[in-house]
Amino acid sequence: MVKSFKIYSYPPPETLSFDSKVESLFYSSLLHSSFITQNPEEAHLFFIPFAFNSDVSPRSAAYVVGDYRTNFIYWNRTLGADHFFLSCSGVGHGSDRNVVELKKNSVQVSCFPTTPGLFIPHKDVSLPPLANVHAPAQGLSRKSSSYLGYVRYNWVKDSSLVEQLLADPEILVDSEPSDQLTYEERLAGSKFCLFEYGPEISAIGEAMSFGCVPVVITDRPIQDMPLMDLLTWQRIAVFVGTSGGAKEIKRVLGRVVVEEYEGMRESAAVASKHFVWNETPQPYDAFHMVMYQLWLRRHTIRYAEREWA
């Protein structure tokens, strides 16, 4: 892939500002990578360098696509199916043909977690979140964990569930930032890290790097986990609903500890290297894993010229 995958980037607007740092980092890494080609005829995919931010109207999005449709021949060959774009918030649905094709056909690269209803599984890609800390590269300590589970402030927002977890001595809950133990010590000293699916789940990569197996609390299937094409999430994370409260969560975690915890812990720690964003991309890091997912999507239907001319 690294040697053969080629992407043509359309000319960007004079000013380009993305919603998030991870989008900007991906954009910069892409433009300075060997994947970029100046010859569109050898490109596998085409990149739309436009910030489809949350304040971009469907009309503006339609204008961008219409401009490429008019001035270049490449969009019409596949109706945008070999194109991709960045949008942290996701592009909404619209009635204009250009917006419909963009939403239905082109690959949307979004931030994780994605906006509900604006992510199409198996077509779109979610970016691994930008982490604040990572465990040292030399590996994890094998000392026993002090806590069964760890919940940082705001990781779980269901007040009833938080109260139940606070009452359990095996669960370490930060109701607010604390200096008694460092954040890294809390991650490394807990078997599981509990997240309610939502914005705070972006710290999942940090937990994995310290060997803290993620527990995702959700009542619906999740289809936007980062690197869904590459990771078997059921082997590195626990998914549990809210209906049984803390008691049911502990029951599930107890079973996991007995049957498969060590394997999940090691798998999560190994997979965490794919969540690392580097200013200068390195093999197997987050940037290259996103590129590999795009590589998997390079096979598109190319309509014969007579069908669209």
Side-chain angles (χ1 to χ4, degrees):
M1 177 200 75
V2 174
K3 294 181 179 180
S4 60
F5 190 24
K6 295 300 178 184
I7 292 171
Y8 178 78
S9 175
Y10 289 113
E14 292 185 4
T15 59
L16 185 57
S17 177
F18 292 102
D19 273 350
S20 67
K21 184 177 179 181
V22 70
E23 286 177 291
S24 299
L25 186 55
F26 174 82
Y27 177 64
S28 175
S29 298
L30 175 63
L31 292 191
H32 293 91
S33 73
S34 61
F35 298 114
I36 292 293
T37 178
Q38 301 304 316
N39 179 10
E41 294 301 327
E42 70 174 11
H44 298 94
L45 294 180
F46 295 81
F47 174 58
I48 302 174
F50 185 82
F52 293 93
N53 297 329
S54 55
D55 58 350
V56 172
S57 67
R59 183 176 181 181
S60 297
Y63 178 82
V64 171
V65 174
D67 186 53
Y68 292 135
R69 182 193 297 278
T70 302
N71 296 315
F72 297 89
I73 67 171
Y74 309 109
W75 180 275
N76 288 323
R77 294 193 306 192
T78 64
L79 304 182
D82 55 359
H83 287 57
F84 71 97
F85 62 96
L86 283 170
S87 179
C88 197
S89 55
V91 170
H93 300 275
S95 58
D96 186 280
R97 170 189 176 184
N98 294 325
V99 175
V100 171
E101 290 178 1
L102 178 71
K103 182 66 181 176
K104 181 179 178 181
N105 299 336
S106 300
V107 178
Q108 175 181 283
V109 181
S110 301
C111 297
F112 173 76
T114 60
T115 305
L118 299 184
F119 183 88
I120 301 177
H122 310 299
K123 177 182 74 69
D124 296 338
V125 173
S126 60
L127 295 169
L130 196 63
N132 293 316
V133 296
H134 277 291
Q138 62 266 29
L140 298 170
S141 169
R142 298 298 298 178
K143 67 179 182 180
S144 60
S145 300
S146 301
Y147 296 94
L148 175 66
Y150 170 51
V151 183
R152 199 180 192 196
Y153 57 96
N154 288 336
W155 281 2
V156 175
K157 296 185 177 181
D158 185 312
S159 58
S160 175
L161 181 57
V162 171
E163 290 180 2
Q164 295 175 44
L165 294 172
L166 279 168
D168 194 313
E170 291 188 282
I171 307 294
L172 175 63
V173 180
D174 290 341
S175 57
E176 59 184 26
S178 173
D179 295 329
Q180 294 180 353
L181 290 174
T182 66
Y183 176 45
E184 293 87 344
E185 289 172 335
R186 291 166 185 261
L187 292 175
S190 305
K191 286 185 171 68
F192 299 94
C193 285
L194 280 62
F195 301 90
E196 185 176 346
Y197 181 78
E200 300 302 328
I201 199 176
S202 60
I204 194 170
E206 301 171 11
M208 290 162 55
S209 72
F210 284 88
C212 194
V213 174
V215 178
V216 182
I217 302 170
T218 178
D219 291 318
R220 64 177 180 82
I222 299 178
Q223 299 177 306
D224 67 337
M225 296 295 288
L227 312 181
M228 283 284 285
D229 299 321
L230 312 176
L231 301 178
T232 304
W233 276 99
Q234 288 75 13
R235 295 180 180 177
I236 58 179
V238 179
F239 296 85
V240 62
T242 61
S243 59
K247 182 177 181 180
E248 174 62 13
I249 292 174
K250 282 198 63 178
R251 186 194 70 78
V252 172
L253 298 188
R255 176 187 58 77
V256 172
V257 168
V258 172
E259 297 178 0
E260 52 191 333
Y261 171 71
E262 282 301 324
M264 296 185 73
R265 176 183 182 274
E266 293 177 5
S267 296
V270 171
S272 70
K273 69 180 181 180
H274 303 315
F275 283 69
V276 178
W277 288 94
N278 297 296
E279 291 293 336
T280 300
Q282 303 296 321
Y284 305 106
D285 68 359
F287 171 72
H288 280 95
M289 292 299 99
V290 173
M291 294 306 298
Y292 184 65
Q293 290 185 101
L294 290 172
W295 164 257
L296 295 176
R297 288 159 172 76
R298 73 194 184 281
H299 297 299
T300 59
I301 298 173
R302 293 189 176 274
Y303 298 97
E305 183 172 352
R306 62 178 178 273
E307 295 181 17
W308 55 262

